[in-house]
Amino acid sequence: MRMLRILRLVKIVRVVRLLRYMAELRTIVVSILASMKPLMSIIVLLVLWLYMIGCYVTQLTLNYRLDCIETIDTDEECLQAGPELMNLYYGSLGTTCLHLFQTVTGGVEWRQLLDPLIHHISPWMAVMFCLYIVFTSLSLMNIV
């Protein structure tokens, strides 16, 4: 068993020694390793940005759902599928952040998540959502 471990270690050392002879491969590996620090800082910045926008949108939708609970008998808008869609897409901070991330990376269509916000909260949410997408995709995603 110990001999197998030593043989594996020798194989790894051989592969590392071969990297000396392949300058292009070594350059690529060094470049990837050098880009890890900026990549991690951009990931942290993206997570903070998603958290801030997620808190804002979750709070708006929570206020809307609470208003619907209070006025459920008199408000026809609340009798439609508005609160259910809000709960599905923006029910918690985690799901909101996940859906916001999916809109930037192409996992979910914008329109699908934006329609409940426009129809039930405010048409100005479209402007906020577009600014979020533009800033995230053009600024944060293109830095690295």
Side-chain angles (χ1 to χ4, degrees):
M1 196 63 143
R2 182 182 260 179
M3 194 63 156
L4 287 176
R5 288 182 190 162
I6 293 173
L7 288 176
R8 284 183 195 164
L9 184 62
V10 169
K11 280 185 179 181
I12 292 172
V13 170
R14 282 185 188 171
V15 170
V16 171
R17 284 182 45 204
L18 284 177
L19 286 177
R20 269 192 312 192
Y21 301 111
M22 295 183 258
E24 294 87 10
L25 180 61
R26 188 174 66 225
T27 303
I28 291 172
V29 169
V30 168
S31 299
I32 289 172
L33 292 176
S35 69
M36 286 299 159
K37 185 177 178 183
L39 177 66
M40 290 302 145
S41 63
I42 292 301
I43 288 173
V44 168
L45 185 62
L46 181 63
V47 166
L48 288 174
W49 178 245
L50 284 171
Y51 179 75
M52 287 186 334
I53 300 297
C55 285
Y56 177 70
V57 173
T58 303
Q59 187 64 43
L60 283 176
T61 56
L62 178 65
N63 288 341
Y64 170 77
R65 288 184 295 154
L66 290 176
D67 288 344
C68 279
I69 289 172
E70 291 174 2
T71 62
I72 192 119
D73 296 332
T74 59
D75 196 1
E76 290 182 24
E77 181 181 302
C78 290
L79 296 175
Q80 297 173 359
E84 289 81 20
L85 282 176
M86 295 290 187
N87 194 27
L88 176 68
Y89 296 139
Y90 309 108
S92 69
L93 182 60
T95 57
T96 302
C97 290
L98 175 66
H99 285 110
L100 288 173
F101 181 73
Q102 287 175 337
T103 58
V104 174
T105 57
V108 175
E109 293 292 323
W110 296 13
R111 194 76 179 159
Q112 183 179 349
L113 294 175
L114 189 56
D115 275 343
L117 296 176
I118 291 173
H119 294 302
H120 300 290
I121 293 180
S122 171
W124 287 102
M125 288 301 292
V127 174
M128 189 275 312
F129 205 80
C130 288
L131 288 175
Y132 159 74
I133 296 293
V134 166
F135 178 77
T136 306
S137 62
L138 295 180
S139 297
L140 288 180
M141 296 293 193
N142 287 325
I143 288 177
V144 176

